[in-house]
């Protein structure tokens, strides 16, 4: 190690020696007070064969900051020339000729003399294409190194500053102030200011504290000058305002430029300069066109962004956000309302102030999603909808995004439960007698607990056949709530109204018609709302109150007996009005109090449509889990975790919030190294999914399989290490050429097993151990099979070969299987095939001839039992054992 360090040091020394052995001309860096300054110029290593007799040097600088006034302290005699007599502007030229003599030099050549205005820095740069050094024979010396220098100011004795001004469009003022301990006797000022001509138009200088200030504009640069008797600015004072007309379409900067200076008598003073900025973050909603947030015609300027302070004032059209919107600060004034549509999101990077109450901020919901809100600070009142579909008896797990939401106010029309892990039971809201009672599970009150999940179902309900508000009086401000499948008939006088699906109907003059599915508008007659008595509707229970914000902690239970099926399972919920990220690197605390599996922590989300839990593990390589679950938990969504110990705390904070498009359990396409399998049957609409993730460091763990409340739903999983997994983590395919796949039928039925992605695999062969069949799986060829609830669950084996390897040896054979009294035959070749069915004694019972590749269905009409099927084609034959029941 020491030898390596020494060799490195030697190498560095050799490098620097070789560098400085070359002829080098260097200008030094100087830090100085304004006024007359000297900058040293060296000629190094001009010795031996590199002695010189003449040279010409050209150096550029900022001539608004420096004035070249000559050379002095020269080290050699000869004929010198410099261009200070031509005004001292950049570039400076220094020439020397010795007329026959030559000089060697390895040190200081001379000093360059400048007048320095101060306040800013400037480089001194050799224009090497015009720099030459000649030897005694007037030959150019090659390979000269030129080292540039700079001039910078010492600490200022005073400051001249502009400000950051938050301002709407129109006439604006930029204050210019001056002050500092060294500014006790000011006799002259010159300030040069560049401004954003695209957003600012200069008007005048105003409110000057001293007479005699002059202003001029040239090339988009403002120059302000003053000369007079000595003035004391040791205390900071506004000296004048610069008046502009500001378009307000973007932030507009003002910048002090070199050439600015402050003098006391004949002395320049060291001055610091602070630039200004007009911030276009005050944008007002006008609603002049319609309710579309993204329409520039509805704003006092352009559509606001994250740099803007936004004011929502009363207008003809209240804003509706149907895009991903963001603002810096938001004020909702009384008498108006801002709605976030189900496909919309809003980020407020700093404070959100809602002076219109819970009806002033509406977060809407439909069958696909709910609106999303993230904000930095503020006690924010809002109404948040939660879509609940019309399918009667469908269970949903939900949570509240607001503080102290009363459960009995809008959520108790059906059945409402909380999970009590110690007793392994659901506890009804109405149970106040038998232990565990509602008070036992909900802290002795009937409000939602932030961060806790609940179970709810709503029965189908009916809307009154006619819900009329009489004749429309335009501008009356009447507000009513309506639901889907209604016919809205508007007055035919040319005025329009706005309809929000499931939300408020605000009758204000000049509104546009905004319709959702289930609505229609017709001209003529009075204004009323009707419902078709043969239809059903969905509900939008409203969470209304102060939105949850900041840290939230939930105590976990693990008191159940170890043999209980759901020991340690706790039903939690998303407490925020946006999605939360289970994989977030910051914002979660106490997850060590959860059971770890495969290096991560699992959540389970109930999917009533599939009749199964979706699962996701935070160590997953992708974002999507099974049955629509993912790393993102939707607003108001309940989810399950499994506690490691009793009374551990799981904490969450604002950092886990996100505007994910993952809403209401929608699955996105799988990635290449993840195999997603899905099974569904023909006896009901339920389904299940299982995922294999290749590419993990080990093949341990994943997301465990848990069973749901729908016993008729199928179950698909991977048995591994004495447990079952909905998501199984595996290292690589070479180490797992075969993977067992478990299946349990929720009902006797015909099932289809399909895959969502196979690009990562050369071959996937499914082996059916019960029926003795093997079939290649791909996107176009799912596997069809029959199953009964009493079948052995360890039924399938997946055989894999990765891309880049030889394919599995597998021939497409004639295959047959039975479901109840139907025989299914698959003929890959499509040729004429004979089908024969025998009993165990070898007696021929049925025979058919079939053609074509499609799946053939043949009626058996045989007593329950085991039979043999013989298939004979032109170039292949096979036998199969079938079970008829």
């Amino acid at each position: 190690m020491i030898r390596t360090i020494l060799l490195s040091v030697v190498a560095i020394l050799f490098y620097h020696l070789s560098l400085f052995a070359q002829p080098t001309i260097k200008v030094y860096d100087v830090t100085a007070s304004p006024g007359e300054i000297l900058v040293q110029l060296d000629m190094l290593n001009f010795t031996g064969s590199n002695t010189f007799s003449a040279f010409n040097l050209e150096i550029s600088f900022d001539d608004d900051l420096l004035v070249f006034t000559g050379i002095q302290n020269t080290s050699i005699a000869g004929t010198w020339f410099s261009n200070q007599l031509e005004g001292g502007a950049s570039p400076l030229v220094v020439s020397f000729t010795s007329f026959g003599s030559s000089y060697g030099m390895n040190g200081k050549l001379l000093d360059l003399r400048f007048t320095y205005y101060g306040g800013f820095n400037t480089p001194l740069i050799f224009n090497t294409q015009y720099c030459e050094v000649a030897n005694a024979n007037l030959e150019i010396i090659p390979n000269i190194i030129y080292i540039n220098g700079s001039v910078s100011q010492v600490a200022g004795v005073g400051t001249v500053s502009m400000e950051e001004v938050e301002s709407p469009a129109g006439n604006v003022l930029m204050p210019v102030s001056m002050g500092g301990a060294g500014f006790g006797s000011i006799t002259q000022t010159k300030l040069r200011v560049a401004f954003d001509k695209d957003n600012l138009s200069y008007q005048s200088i105003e409110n000057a504290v001293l007479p005699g200030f002059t202003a001029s504009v040239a090339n988009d640069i403002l120059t302000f000058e003053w000369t007079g008797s000595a003035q004391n600015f040791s205390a900071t004072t506004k000296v004048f305002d610069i008046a502009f007309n500001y378009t307000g379409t973007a932030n507009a900067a003002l910048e002090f430029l070199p050439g600015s200076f402050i003098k006391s008598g004949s002395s320049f003073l060291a001055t610091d300069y602070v630039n200004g900025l007009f911030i276009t973050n005050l944008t007002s909603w006008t609603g002049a066109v319609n309710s579309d947030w993204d329409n520039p015609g509805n704003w006092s300027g352009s559509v606001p962004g994250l740099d803007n302070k936004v004011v929502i004032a009363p207008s003809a059209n209240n804003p509706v956000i149907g895009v991903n919107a963001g603002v810096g600060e938001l004020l909702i004034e009384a008498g108006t309302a801002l709605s976030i549509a189900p496909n919309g999101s809003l980020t407020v990077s700093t404070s959100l102030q809602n002076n219109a109450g819970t009806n002033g901020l509406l977060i809407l919901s439909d069958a696909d999603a709910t609106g999303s809100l993230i904000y930095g600070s503020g006690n924010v009142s809002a109404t948040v909808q939660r879509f609940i579909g019309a399918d009667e008896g469908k269970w949903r797990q939900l949570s509240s995004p607001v503080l102290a939401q009363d459960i009995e106010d809008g959520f108790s029309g059906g059945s409402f439960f909380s999970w009590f892990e110690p007793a392994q039971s659901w506890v009804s809201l109405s149970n106040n007698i038998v232990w565990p009672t509602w008070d036992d599970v909900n802290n002795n009150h009937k409000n939602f607990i932030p961060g806790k999940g609940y179970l709810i179902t709503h029965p189908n309900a009916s809307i009154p056949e006619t819900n009329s508000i009489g004749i429309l009086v335009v501008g009356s401000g009447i507000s009513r709530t309506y639901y889907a499948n209604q016919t809205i008939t508007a007055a035919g006088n040319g005025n329009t109204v706005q309809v929000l699906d499931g939300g408020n109907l605000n009758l204000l003059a000049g509104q546009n018609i905004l319709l959702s599915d289930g609505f229609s508008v017709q001209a003529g007659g009075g204004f009323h709302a009707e419902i078709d008595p043969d239809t059903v509707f969905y509900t939008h229970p409203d969470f209304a109150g102060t939105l949850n914000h900041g840290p939230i902690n939930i105590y976990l239970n693990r008191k159940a007996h170890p043999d209980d099926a759901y020991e340690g399972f706790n039903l939690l919920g998303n407490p925020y009005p946006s999605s939360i990220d289970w994989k977030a690197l910051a914002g979660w605390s106490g997850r060590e109090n959860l059971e770890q599996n495969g290096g991560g922590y699992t959540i389970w989300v109930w999917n009533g449509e599939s009749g199964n839990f979706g699962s996701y593990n935070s160590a997953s390589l992708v974002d999507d889990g099974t049955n629509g679950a993912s790393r993102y938990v939707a607003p108001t969504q309940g989810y399950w975790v499994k506690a490691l110990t009793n009374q551990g705390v799981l904490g969450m904070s604002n950092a886990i919030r996100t505007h994910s498009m993952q809403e209401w359990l929608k699955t996105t396409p799988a990635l290449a190294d993840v195999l997603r399998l899905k099974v569904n049957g023909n006896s009901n609409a339920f389904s299940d999914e299982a995922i294999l993730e290749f590419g993990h460091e080990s093949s341990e763990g994943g997301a465990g399989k848990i069973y749901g409340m729908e016993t008729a739903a199928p179950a698909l999983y991977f048995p591994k290490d004495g447990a079952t997994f909905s998501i199984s983590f595996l290292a690589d395919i070479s180490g797992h050429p075969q993977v067992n796949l478990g299946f349990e039928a929720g009902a006797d039925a015909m099932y289809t097993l399909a895959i969502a992605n196979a690009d990562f695999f050369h071959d996937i062969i499914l082996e059916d151990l019960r029926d003795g069949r093997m079939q290649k799986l791909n996107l176009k060829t799912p596997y069809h099979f029959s199953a009964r609830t009493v079948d052995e669950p360890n039924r399938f084996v997946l055989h894999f070969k990765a891309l880049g390897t030889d394919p599995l040896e597998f021939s497409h054979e004639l295959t047959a299987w039975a479901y109840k009294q139907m025989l299914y035959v698959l003929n890959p070749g499509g040729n004429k095939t004979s089908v024969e069915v025998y009993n165990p004694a070898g007696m021929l019972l049925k025979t058919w001839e079939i053609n074509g590749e499609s799946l053939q269905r043949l009626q058996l009409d045989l007593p329950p039992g085991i039979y043999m099927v013989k298939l004979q084609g032109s170039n292949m034959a096979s036998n199969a054992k079938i079970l008829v029941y």
Side-chain angles (χ1 to χ4, degrees), residues 64 193 235 242 258 304 319 332 341 375 395 417 443 482 529 550 587 596 731 792 854 868 876 878:
D64 286 322
V193 178
I242 312 174
I332 303 173
Y375 58 97
W395 292 99
F417 293 90
N443 294 351
Y482 296 91
Q596 192 179 79
E792 166 63 37
S854 61
M868 295 298 297
M876 63 181 71
S878 66

Side-chain angles (χ1 to χ4, degrees), residues 281-304:
N281 68 347
L282 184 59
T283 304
S284 296
W285 171 264
T286 66
V289 179
N290 54 26
S291 294
D292 183 3
W293 174 281
D294 212 32
N295 187 332
N298 290 318
W299 295 97
S300 60
S302 58
V303 176

Side-chain angles (χ1 to χ4, degrees), residues 708-725:
M709 296 171 284
E710 301 289 356
T711 58
L716 194 66
Y717 52 82
F718 299 103
K720 183 175 67 172
D721 301 330
T724 56
F725 293 87

Side-chain angles (χ1 to χ4, degrees), residues 724-746:
T724 56
F725 293 87
S726 291
I727 303 174
S728 179
F729 294 165
L730 296 175
D732 53 46
I733 293 178
S734 61
H736 300 275
Q738 297 180 2
V739 175
N740 293 327
L741 176 65
F743 173 76
E744 297 176 28

Side-chain angles (χ1 to χ4, degrees), residues 777-793:
L777 289 179
N778 56 46
L779 297 178
K780 295 182 179 179
T781 57
Y783 182 68
H784 304 283
F785 64 99
S786 65
R788 300 177 301 163
T789 58
V790 296
D791 287 347
E792 166 63 37

Side-chain angles (χ1 to χ4, degrees), residues 728-854:
S728 179
F729 294 165
L730 296 175
D732 53 46
I733 293 178
S734 61
H736 300 275
Q738 297 180 2
V739 175
N740 293 327
L741 176 65
F743 173 76
E744 297 176 28
D748 295 348
M750 278 293 299
Y751 288 90
T752 298
L753 179 65
I755 59 176
N757 183 42
D759 296 339
F760 183 67
F761 309 98
H762 193 304
D763 282 320
I764 304 174
I765 305 298
L766 179 72
E767 181 179 3
D768 186 336
L769 299 177
R770 193 200 79 173
D771 292 351
R773 291 192 289 149
M774 299 183 73
Q775 177 182 312
K776 181 178 289 189
L777 289 179
N778 56 46
L779 297 178
K780 295 182 179 179
T781 57
Y783 182 68
H784 304 283
F785 64 99
S786 65
R788 300 177 301 163
T789 58
V790 296
D791 287 347
E792 166 63 37
N794 295 321
R795 177 164 178 172
F796 299 111
V797 178
L798 293 168
H799 300 265
F800 293 101
K801 292 288 282 186
L803 285 173
T805 61
D806 294 332
L808 291 168
E809 295 182 2
F810 173 74
S811 61
H812 293 278
E813 296 182 346
L814 292 160
T815 57
W817 67 95
Y819 173 61
K820 295 185 178 180
Q821 288 293 330
M822 297 300 297
L823 178 66
Y824 295 83
V825 180
L826 186 63
N827 180 9
N831 300 317
K832 181 184 293 186
T833 299
S834 67
V835 181
E836 298 175 344
V837 179
Y838 295 84
N839 66 15
M843 180 182 298
L844 178 63
L845 303 177
K846 298 279 186 177
T847 181
W848 299 271
E849 282 194 356
I850 60 173
N851 283 290
E853 292 189 33
S854 61

Side-chain angles (χ1 to χ4, degrees), residues 438-520:
W438 182 259
D439 287 345
D440 294 322
V441 302
N442 211 63
N443 294 351
N444 298 304
H445 60 71
K446 291 187 177 181
N447 291 339
F448 282 86
I449 296 175
K452 182 178 175 63
Y454 299 86
L455 181 69
I456 184 174
T457 183
H458 267 240
N460 284 342
S462 62
I463 295 177
E465 187 167 327
T466 299
N467 189 358
S468 175
I469 62 173
I471 302 299
L472 170 64
V473 179
V474 176
S476 65
I478 299 172
S479 179
R480 292 291 292 269
T481 299
Y482 296 91
Y483 300 97
N485 301 313
Q486 292 178 327
T487 299
I488 303 297
T489 305
N493 58 2
N495 294 301
T496 56
V497 298
Q498 181 185 36
V499 180
L500 300 177
D501 193 1
N504 289 330
L505 175 61
N506 300 307
L507 309 179
L508 297 173
Q511 289 183 315
N512 295 323
I513 299 171
L514 177 62
L515 301 178
S516 300
D517 292 343
F519 285 103
S520 65

Side-chain angles (χ1 to χ4, degrees), residues 289-556:
V289 179
N290 54 26
S291 294
D292 183 3
W293 174 281
D294 212 32
N295 187 332
N298 290 318
W299 295 97
S300 60
S302 58
V303 176
L306 287 173
D307 292 330
N308 298 122
K309 178 179 179 180
V310 175
V311 175
I312 307 298
S315 65
N317 298 295
N318 289 330
V320 178
I321 298 176
V323 295
N324 297 324
V327 300
E329 186 176 341
L330 178 62
L331 169 63
I332 303 173
E333 293 186 349
T336 188
L338 169 64
S339 297
I340 304 175
N343 61 334
S345 67
L346 173 63
T347 299
V348 182
S349 57
T350 56
S351 68
L352 194 166
Q353 182 177 349
N354 175 17
N355 292 338
T358 56
N359 292 326
L361 179 57
L362 308 175
I363 302 177
L364 307 180
S365 178
D366 64 16
D368 294 320
T370 194
S372 182
L373 172 66
I374 294 175
Y375 58 97
S377 63
N379 293 321
V380 179
S381 297
T383 296
V384 183
Q385 293 181 346
R386 167 63 190 259
F387 176 90
I388 296 179
D391 38 1
E392 184 173 8
K394 189 74 73 175
W395 292 99
R396 285 167 176 80
Q397 294 171 1
L398 78 166
S399 60
S400 173
V402 303
L403 289 167
Q405 170 67 49
D406 185 352
I407 295 171
E408 293 183 323
D409 183 11
F411 293 89
S412 59
S415 300
F416 198 94
F417 293 90
S418 178
W419 174 253
F420 190 57
E421 188 272 348
Q424 296 283 281
S425 66
W426 290 104
V427 179
S428 172
L429 175 68
S430 61
N431 177 19
N432 291 312
I433 300 175
V434 180
W435 185 89
T437 66
W438 182 259
D439 287 345
D440 294 322
V441 302
N442 211 63
N443 294 351
N444 298 304
H445 60 71
K446 291 187 177 181
N447 291 339
F448 282 86
I449 296 175
K452 182 178 175 63
Y454 299 86
L455 181 69
I456 184 174
T457 183
H458 267 240
N460 284 342
S462 62
I463 295 177
E465 187 167 327
T466 299
N467 189 358
S468 175
I469 62 173
I471 302 299
L472 170 64
V473 179
V474 176
S476 65
I478 299 172
S479 179
R480 292 291 292 269
T481 299
Y482 296 91
Y483 300 97
N485 301 313
Q486 292 178 327
T487 299
I488 303 297
T489 305
N493 58 2
N495 294 301
T496 56
V497 298
Q498 181 185 36
V499 180
L500 300 177
D501 193 1
N504 289 330
L505 175 61
N506 300 307
L507 309 179
L508 297 173
Q511 289 183 315
N512 295 323
I513 299 171
L514 177 62
L515 301 178
S516 300
D517 292 343
F519 285 103
S520 65
V521 170
Q522 300 173 351
F527 185 93
H528 61 277
E530 295 181 348
I531 182 68
D532 182 348
D534 294 330
T535 63
V536 293
F537 77 106
Y538 54 84
T539 61
H540 282 124
D542 290 341
F543 297 92
T546 302
L547 295 172
N548 293 320
H549 191 266
I552 292 175
N553 295 318
I554 294 293
Y555 285 92
L556 304 172

